[in-house]
Amino acid sequence: MSKQNNKEARQRRHERLRRTLSGTAVMPRLCVCRTGGHIYAQVIDDDAQRTIVSASTLEASAREQKLKANVASATIIGKCIAERALAADVKQVVYDRGGFLYHGCVKALADAARAAGLKF
């Protein structure tokens, strides 16, 4: 499968997931994006169209630790997003993997968020 086909397949999976996934004020959406160099996570209230909390490897604290797009970094970002969500009084979320396969970084982020106290 070529790189273009992989991108199109991920986009199709993402569109299919977003038809059914939606975040509300009671249960917002934990959205994950992974690129070749970085990992991003956001807790989003789709009804109000606002981001409640976010975490990524581009933040100053993560840059000091030299975090990149790997499983170890995803674990740190997952723990960070869970702590921030719990501080914002968000206890339960809907997990949106963004069309990415539930493997590697995407799975590590979800497992770390669960371990930190966030419920899916």
Side-chain angles (χ1 to χ4, degrees):
M1 201 179 261
S2 72
K3 196 171 214 102
Q4 185 63 28
N5 288 340
N6 284 339
K7 187 175 182 180
E8 291 171 358
R10 188 195 73 78
Q11 192 63 33
R12 281 194 310 272
R13 284 191 303 269
H14 181 61
E15 289 171 1
R16 186 173 60 235
L17 285 168
R18 287 293 290 130
R19 274 186 237 140
T20 58
L21 286 179
S22 177
T24 63
V26 176
M27 193 181 313
R29 177 170 55 101
L30 173 59
C31 179
V32 175
C33 182
R34 175 189 55 82
T35 65
H38 296 284
I39 300 170
Y40 312 86
Q42 298 177 344
V43 176
I44 302 169
D45 178 2
D46 288 319
D47 291 341
Q49 295 183 345
R50 72 181 188 100
T51 300
I52 300 168
V53 293
S54 67
S56 77
T57 54
L58 286 174
E59 295 174 357
S61 61
R63 284 189 174 201
E64 290 171 1
Q65 298 176 18
K66 298 190 188 300
L67 299 181
K68 296 293 177 187
N70 55 35
V71 173
S73 298
T75 303
I76 294 169
I77 297 300
K79 184 180 178 209
C80 182
I81 194 75
E83 290 171 354
R84 291 178 186 179
L86 291 171
D89 202 33
V90 174
K91 294 173 184 61
Q92 190 167 5
V93 295
V94 176
Y95 190 65
D96 178 8
R97 60 188 171 91
F100 297 103
L101 299 178
Y102 189 76
H103 178 75
C105 296
V106 176
K107 183 178 186 294
L109 192 142
D111 291 342
R114 275 191 203 102
L118 207 55
K119 293 182 182 158
F120 291 30

